[in-house]
Amino acid sequence: MLAEQQMWRYRFAKTFRRGLLYAVLIAGALVMMLPFVWMVTSSIKAPHEITLRTIQWLPAVPQWENYKVAWEAAPFDIYFKNSFIIALTVMGLDVVFSALAAYAFAKLNFFGKNFLFLLFLGTMMIPGEVMLIPNYITMVNFGWIDTYASLIVPWTVSVFSIFLLRQFFLSIPNELFEAAILDGCGKFAYLIKVMLPLSKPALVTVMLFKFIGSWNSFLWVLIMTNTPAMRTIPVGLTYFVSDVGAYYNYLMAASTFAMAPILILFLLLQKQFIQGIARTGLKG
Amino acid sequence: MLRIPAQMKTKKYWKETLEAYLYLLPAFTILGLFSFYPVVKSVYMSFFDWSLLRDTQYFVGWENYEKIIGDPVFRRAIMNTARYVIGYVPISIALGLIVAVLLNSKIRFRGPLRVAFFLPWVTSSVAISMVWRWIYNQHYGLLNMMLAGLANAVNTVVEFVSFGHLSEVWQFSNPNWLMEPQWTIINLVIIAVWQSLGYNMVIFLAGLQNIPHELYEAAEVDGASPWQSFWKITLPLISPTTFFISIISIIGAFKLFTEVYVLYTGRPGPVNSGMTIVYYVYRNAFERYRMGYASAAAYILFAIIFVFTLVQMRASKRRIHYGS
């Protein structure tokens, strides 16, 4: 009898704790989502609804045409095109150049290997802001201001990608490599035919981070571009503010479509993304 | 023992060296031009009165550094950053750890919850700062409307339980978050906590996986409550992760720029209340074209960050040593 009572008490305590756990987590998640929710609902409100002094969560009639108005109020088609061209090119070149370098560091023996590797790693300790000014002058001297070249070329190699791929390549057994070389397989063919197919998860992680980093990059694009023709989404968005001023419904519509590609990409590939961060502890 | 003749070994070695350099060529060229060279060049520039508007530059020695250290605006930037770090790092770490511990138990909807907490970290700082600008709006912003509602509710309850003796205990003054300088750092802290919490959570979740489950089982057998297990097992064993996150958060905090720029539409907050070191560099280089001066400021930023990097490196070395 007593045991049964205790059992019930234990079960009650456990259920209660469980309920509390869910309540706290769901409340927390809702708070985290609140700015996104407010962004989307604001984006479909009518002008008089945006200037209400009490909270109105949903508009009386969703104003979907706000998106059309915002899209046409600034050259967002050009901004999007630029963002895609730049992010995809940077991502593609970075993964190729970094894989080549990582392969050399992981599988080849050569003169100055440790020195070069440390030299590469050392740049990860230096904040990019230190390189900003000389790079700006280099771009002026090259005549690359306001061109795709300035927005792409400096970002086509990242030591982080090299490091991540090298670590992954090292985990692929050397016996395989030696056997293949003995059988007359060239080193480059080995990289293409064996290493890269085996390294798909690492390659996806590197490409994902590079794409998102490039898409979201701001300061460099801000100082490199003078005309709307070369601006990317984030920089275009900051200019859009001064164009539309206090029309926050249009501004929120623009913020929504500016974020959309990355949010979709993240939701599709969130496992790789979160695992990648957990493994590397990367800070953007 | 069979020995490879020295001649052959070196020949093979040099051949492989040549091949390796070919693989490294693209990476080395790009890094050389846009990383190695600028790092050296900006040290050099920091000793010059360097302007893009003229052809000759004047050597000034340590003058740039002396001027920066003596500049009240630069000191303001350092102070702002310090306040920002003290505000955001502990809160973001504590909340990240709490959410990670809660999510680490066997629960349903773990995936969607994790995504909800993590989502702010992925989104572009520009778009998200725009949304916060709207939330902080004095008259129509979500924050003030929610606070007004809360104040109203609190006042009603207090008035009721005190039989009408206490009315209007919370006189809500509708603060103008983006115009009053005392809120600037708090605004930035709120955004930073919201944005980085999920990232910290992911790192903590990875750290929690490494704590042996037997420890918790043994503690439970010994009659420890979950609360005690948290303080006696989780917290001490997760401390290397906590340390790692604090250092990288501090380093990140010193690079604050985009959020300020967007929140205050290209100004460093009212009366420099949002001035940061990177903003200081940006303003001097790209608004005033004082390239040498800005380079010196950037190097001071580097020096500060370098100290934290060294601390992190020493600590992680010790950690590996104890671990093996």
Side-chain angles (χ1 to χ4, degrees), chain A residues 18 21-22 32-33 42 50 53 109-111 123 125 135 139 188 216 234 241 248 259 263 266 281-282, chain B residues 13 16-17 20-21 23 34 36 102 106 108 116 119 122-124 128 130 133-134 139 194 199 306:
Chain A
R18 212 106 261 262
L21 178 70
Y22 278 112
M32 294 300 278
M33 286 296 104
S42 298
I50 217 81
R53 290 203 175 217
N109 285 311
F110 57 92
F111 179 76
T123 61
M125 291 166 36
N135 280 343
M139 291 299 151
F188 187 69
N216 289 345
V241 181
Y248 271 101
M259 276 180 204
L263 289 192
F266 169 67
L282 155 110
Chain B
Y13 180 71
E16 199 162 313
T17 298
Y21 285 177
Y23 286 114
F34 301 111
F36 305 144
L102 295 182
K106 283 193 197 89
R108 260 181 280 181
L119 210 52
V122 202
T123 52
S124 124
I128 215 59
M130 218 67 96
R133 228 166 75 94
W134 173 222
H139 300 299
W194 177 76
Y199 170 82
F306 192 67

Side-chain angles (χ1 to χ4, degrees), chain B residues 47-111:
Chain B
F47 293 107
F48 282 81
D49 178 1
W50 194 297
S51 169
L52 274 187
L53 307 173
R54 26 162 228 266
D55 288 334
T56 45
Q57 315 300 345
Y58 304 102
F59 180 78
V60 292
W62 291 96
E63 199 185 294
N64 286 332
Y65 289 94
E66 281 160 12
K67 272 191 196 156
I68 291 167
I69 304 281
D71 184 0
V73 177
F74 186 76
R75 288 199 199 148
R76 187 73 200 259
I78 299 273
M79 283 307 293
N80 285 342
T81 309
R83 286 174 59 206
Y84 173 73
V85 166
I86 293 166
Y88 126 75
V89 177
I91 300 175
S92 162
I93 286 178
L95 291 178
L97 180 59
I98 290 170
V99 174
V101 169
L102 295 182
L103 274 183
N104 201 35
S105 48
K106 283 193 197 89
I107 55 164
R108 260 181 280 181
F109 311 121
R110 212 181 132 174

